[in-house]
Amino acid sequence: MMEIRELTFSFRGQTEPVLKNISFTIPKGKITSVIGPNGSGKSTLFRCLTGQYKPQKGEVLLKGVPIGHYNGKKRARLLAMVFQKHPQLNGITVRELVAAGRTPYGNGRSVARINQQIIDEVLEQVDLKELEDRYINELSGGQQQRVWLAQALAQEPELILLDEPTAHLDIEYQLEMLRLLKKLNEVRGLTICLILHDLTQVIEISDQVIALKNGTINALGNPHDVLTKERIEELFHVKSEIFSTNNGQKLIHYLF
Amino acid sequence: MTSQINKRFRILLVILTLLIGINIFVGLASGSVSISFQEILAIFSGKDTDYAHIFWQIRFPRVLGGIFIGIFLALAGCILQTVLQNPIADPGVLGISSGASLAAVIIMLLFPGNIALLIPLSFIGGLMTYAIVALLTFQNGMKPIHVILAGISISAIWGGFQAILLTAYSDRLVGVMNWLNGNLGNLSWGDIRFLLILGTPAVILAVILSGKLNLLLLGDDVMHNLGVPAVFYRFLFSLVSVYLSAISVSFTGVIGFVGLIVPHIGRLLVGNNHFRLLPVTLLLGGNLLLGADTLSRIIIAPQEIPVGTVMSLLGGPFFLYLLVRHGKKGEI
C-alpha cells in the first residue's frame, strides 16, 4: 500500500536528522503499529508519510506513486490521518465536522446526495448517528476522538494513519477505539498504520510493528518477534515480564 | 437538533433584520434636527418638506454608510480571528487600520490632488502593517498576545508619524481631523456608490468561501489531510480582511472595535460555523455601527461626537474583558 525508501528528514536549521535512512512497507489490508520512546520521530514520520513534511532524502510511495506527485484532493481520497491533538471547536455539530471529510470530493449538487449517504454510513460505523446533531464541545473525549476518526473515514481512504488515537482516553474508550479500528480493518479491509504507547494493545491489534529509536528503525516484524523483554528495555529503558494468558493473549508487565 | 439549530438561526436573522429596520428609522429621525415619523413618511412619498434635503443628502447616505462600514469592519474582524486563530484579533488592534490611516493621511496632506490613490495606498498601508506584525511574531508561532503587542506597538509608531504630519501640515487639516476620529457624517451618495462597488465583491467572496473558513478552524494539519492548501486560503482571507479594513478607513477614518465585538457576540449566538456566523456577523455589524452612530448624534445633541469615539468607549472595556477572559483560559 505504502512504501518508504531510505527516508531522511531534518527540520530546517537542525543538522541532526530526526529520521535517518528509514525504509519499510505498510502492507495493504494490515494493521501496522509504530512504537518508540518520546522524541524518536514517530509523529514526524507520519507527517512525512502524508507529504506534509518533505524529506531531504528518500521517498514515500503511495500505491507505487511518490506522495508528492499526487494533488491534494487525489491524495486525500487515498490517505487520511487522525491527529493526536484537536482544535477546540464551539458550535459545530458532529455531522458538520464529519462532513468536512468529504472536502476532497467537492460539495456541488452532483455529489451532494452521495456525500450525505457516505456521512450517514460513517456515522453508523463509529456509532455516532444518534449524536450527529450535538455540538462537538458537548461530547466526551472518547466520543470526540470517534468524530475525528469518522471525518477521516468520510474521506473513504484506503490507508488511514492515526497518531496516538488512544491518548487521553480512559481504558474503556481506549478499547472501544481499538475494537473499532480492528473492525474497520476486518470488515472494510482498511489499511491502518497507528502510533501506540500501550505495548499490550500493540500485540493485540497489530499485524506488523515498527520500533523507532533515535530516528532509525530499531526493529520491524510481527509483534511477537519485535516485542521482547530485551527490546522493551533497549527502547524504553524499562524492565518487563511478558506473560501468556490461557486464551493465548500476551500481557506485558512493567517492573518498577 | 440540526433543524432546531437552523430554526434558531433563521429566527435570529429575522430579528437582526428587523432590528436593522428599526435602527435605520431611528438613525434617519435622530440628529441635530429631529425628523418626525410623519415627516419621514411624507418624504418617502415624495413630498418636499423642510427637512427633505437633510434627509436625502445627509441622513440617508450616512445611515447606509453606517450599515456598510459596520458590515465591512465586522467581517474583517471575524475573518482575522479565524485566519490567525486569535480570539482578540481585529483590524484596529492589529494596527491594520493605523497603517491604512497613515497612508490615507499621507495622500490627503502631501498629495491632495491624487485622491484616487487613497484606497489603493490605504490597502498597501494596511497590508504592510499586517505583514510586519506577521513577520515579527511568526517565530513565536503568532501567539495571540504577541500579535496584539506587535499590533499595538506598530499602531503607536504609525500614530507618531501621523502626528508629525498633522503638525507639519496643520494648514491643510480642514476635513482631515473630522475624518481621523472616525466619522460617518461626511459620506455622500457618491461615497456610498463606491463603498458598494468596492466592498460587495469582497463580502460575497467571503460568504461563498464560508466552508473554507470553517476548514481553517480545524488547523493546518487537518487542512493538509483534506487536500486543501491552508497557506493559500490564509493569505487570501488575510487580503480580503485587510482590503475591507482599508476601504472602511479610506472613507470614514479609524473606527475601532467593531471587528472585535461583533464576531464574539456572533459566536455566542450561533457558534463557530461560518455558514451561520458570517450572516449573523454581517447583520450585527451593520446594527452595531448604525446604532453607535445614532448614539454619537444624540448623546450631547445638538452637538455630535465622532462615532469612532463612541466605539472606543464601547469597545475598550469589551477588549479588556476579552483579555481577562481568554487570559484566564490560557488562550492568549
Side-chain angles (χ1 to χ4, degrees):
Chain A
M1 184 75 214
M2 182 175 261
E3 195 182 344
I4 293 89
R5 288 183 188 157
E6 297 174 351
L7 187 138
T8 298
F9 175 84
S10 52
F11 287 106
R12 196 180 295 169
Q14 289 183 356
T15 48
E16 181 71 8
V18 183
L19 301 169
K20 298 163 207 159
N21 211 26
I22 289 194
S23 299
F24 66 94
T25 301
I26 300 173
K28 189 174 169 60
K30 303 286 183 194
I31 298 180
T32 300
S33 295
V34 179
I35 61 165
N38 291 337
S40 57
K42 301 183 295 295
S43 296
T44 306
L45 172 65
F46 269 33
R47 283 183 161 83
C48 288
L49 301 190
T50 63
Q52 197 173 356
Y53 290 172
K54 309 272 181 291
Q56 277 75 35
K57 212 183 107 217
E59 58 183 353
V60 175
L61 303 172
L62 177 61
K63 297 187 91 177
V65 178
I67 193 82
H69 288 195
Y70 286 97
N71 71 32
K73 280 185 181 177
K74 277 190 178 161
R75 187 199 62 236
R77 291 176 188 194
L78 288 173
L79 168 68
M81 178 162 169
V82 179
F83 295 87
Q84 187 188 349
K85 288 179 184 165
H86 308 298
Q88 290 287 323
L89 297 171
N90 298 317
I92 296 206
T93 67
V94 168
R95 191 177 183 90
E96 286 165 352
L97 187 58
V98 173
R102 297 302 294 167
T103 304
Y105 298 87
N107 53 7
R109 280 187 185 170
S110 59
V111 290
R113 207 166 142 194
I114 186 83
N115 280 353
Q116 295 308 317
Q117 193 184 321
I118 299 287
I119 294 163
D120 283 333
E121 280 173 23
V122 164
L123 285 168
E124 294 281 0
Q125 278 171 3
V126 299
D127 201 18
L128 281 173
K129 192 76 180 89
E130 284 181 10
L131 300 177
E132 65 175 347
D133 294 329
R134 292 272 296 276
Y135 288 130
I136 308 290
N137 50 311
E138 294 171 353
L139 304 184
S140 70
Q143 289 167 333
Q144 287 191 23
Q145 188 67 320
R146 273 191 283 149
V147 178
W148 288 99
L149 173 63
Q151 189 195 72
L153 292 174
Q155 291 175 236
E156 294 186 280
E158 293 183 30
L159 167 62
I160 191 163
L161 306 174
L162 300 107
D163 188 351
E164 297 191 41
T166 54
H168 317 300
L169 301 183
D170 65 28
I171 296 165
E172 182 191 354
Y173 283 126
Q174 285 185 31
L175 293 181
E176 184 185 76
M177 174 59 71
L178 294 174
R179 276 190 216 113
L180 180 57
L181 292 174
K182 191 86 182 160
K183 190 173 144 197
L184 287 166
N185 168 253
E186 287 169 358
V187 176
R188 277 182 54 163
L190 186 66
T191 307
I192 295 173
C193 182
L194 73 170
I195 296 172
L196 281 177
H197 277 298
D198 186 318
L199 301 181
T200 302
Q201 290 176 355
V202 170
I203 294 176
E204 196 60 35
I205 194 173
S206 317
D207 299 301
Q208 171 180 268
V209 178
I210 296 162
L212 279 185
K213 191 179 182 189
N214 297 329
T216 57
I217 292 185
N218 178 277
L220 190 157
N222 77 57
H224 296 280
D225 294 340
V226 171
L227 289 170
T228 59
K229 284 194 299 187
E230 294 75 21
R231 184 150 294 114
I232 290 169
E233 185 167 1
E234 187 186 345
L235 286 171
F236 301 102
H237 308 293
V238 171
K239 290 192 186 303
S240 61
E241 294 288 351
I242 301 179
F243 302 100
S244 291
T245 62
N246 292 338
N247 56 10
Q249 281 185 313
K250 271 196 170 181
L251 294 175
I252 297 172
H253 173 66
Y254 305 111
L255 302 173
F256 285 92
Chain B
M1 190 172 158
T2 301
S3 59
Q4 271 185 347
I5 292 170
N6 288 333
K7 193 177 166 191
R8 272 211 309 265
F9 169 62
R10 281 195 290 270
I11 291 171
L12 188 63
L13 287 188
V14 171
I15 291 171
L16 289 173
T17 310
L18 287 175
L19 208 59
I20 279 229
I22 295 167
N23 238 329
I24 290 174
F25 177 76
V26 176
L28 289 171
S30 312
S32 54
V33 173
S34 289
I35 305 176
S36 66
F37 180 62
Q38 285 80 1
E39 187 159 358
I40 289 176
L41 288 181
I43 293 168
F44 270 127
S45 65
K47 286 186 184 151
D48 191 13
T49 67
D50 292 346
Y51 299 130
H53 179 78
I54 293 176
F55 183 87
W56 286 120
Q57 297 308 319
I58 298 172
R59 291 271 168 90
F60 218 104
R62 180 175 189 155
V63 161
L64 290 181
I67 295 171
F68 294 145
I69 299 287
I71 285 173
F72 296 166
L73 289 173
L75 183 57
C78 183
I79 290 173
L80 270 185
Q81 286 165 20
T82 300
V83 166
L84 297 175
Q85 296 184 325
N86 182 341
I88 47 176
D90 160 82
V93 176
L94 259 69
I96 294 166
S97 301
S98 302
S101 170
L102 176 63
V105 166
I106 289 171
I107 293 294
M108 284 193 273
L109 294 182
L110 302 183
F111 308 101
N114 296 291
I115 214 73
L117 292 175
L118 194 67
I119 293 170
L121 279 186
S122 294
F123 178 54
I124 291 170
L127 205 58
M128 270 177 55
T129 309
Y130 184 65
I132 293 169
V133 170
L135 280 173
L136 286 173
T137 55
F138 187 72
Q139 290 266 324
N140 293 316
M142 294 185 85
K143 280 186 189 151
I145 196 70
H146 292 167
V147 172
I148 301 307
L149 289 174
I152 289 170
S153 308
I154 291 171
S155 279
I157 296 169
W158 291 163
F161 281 123
Q162 200 162 282
I164 292 170
L165 284 171
L166 294 174
T167 310
Y169 295 90
S170 53
D171 54 324
R172 300 182 189 175
L173 291 184
V174 181
V176 176
M177 286 311 290
N178 214 5
W179 172 88
L180 268 179
N181 291 322
N183 201 322
L184 297 167
N186 301 325
L187 291 173
S188 64
W189 279 110
D191 294 332
I192 298 302
R193 205 162 33 242
F194 265 116
L195 272 176
L196 260 179
I197 293 169
L198 294 170
T200 309
V203 174
I204 291 172
L205 182 71
V207 171
I208 288 174
L209 294 177
S210 299
K212 295 295 186 291
L213 280 168
N214 280 345
L215 293 181
L216 282 172
L217 289 174
L218 308 183
D220 288 11
D221 284 342
V222 177
M223 283 187 86
H224 175 82
N225 177 48
L226 295 171
V228 181
V231 175
F232 170 77
Y233 282 107
R234 279 190 203 289
F235 182 70
L236 177 71
F237 283 119
S238 296
L239 286 184
V240 170
S241 175
V242 174
Y243 174 71
L244 287 170
S245 312
I247 295 176
S248 307
V249 169
S250 306
F251 282 93
T252 58
V254 177
I255 301 173
F257 299 112
V258 178
L260 186 77
I261 297 174
V262 170
H264 272 274
I265 298 173
R267 286 193 189 92
L268 280 176
L269 292 171
V270 293
N272 268 319
N273 188 329
H274 289 81
F275 288 118
R276 294 186 285 271
L277 179 60
L278 285 196
V280 167
T281 295
L282 300 183
L283 287 170
L284 275 173
N287 265 308
L288 177 67
L289 194 58
L290 188 51
D293 187 50
T294 306
L295 217 64
S296 78
R297 283 181 274 154
I298 57 176
I299 288 177
I300 51 167
Q303 285 178 298
E304 277 186 26
I305 49 173
V307 66
T309 307
V310 175
M311 279 314 303
S312 296
L313 290 171
L314 292 172
F318 191 80
F319 181 62
L320 291 174
Y321 157 75
L322 290 178
L323 274 180
V324 173
R325 184 179 156 216
H326 290 287
K328 273 184 187 166
K329 286 186 186 171
E331 290 172 351
I332 51 173

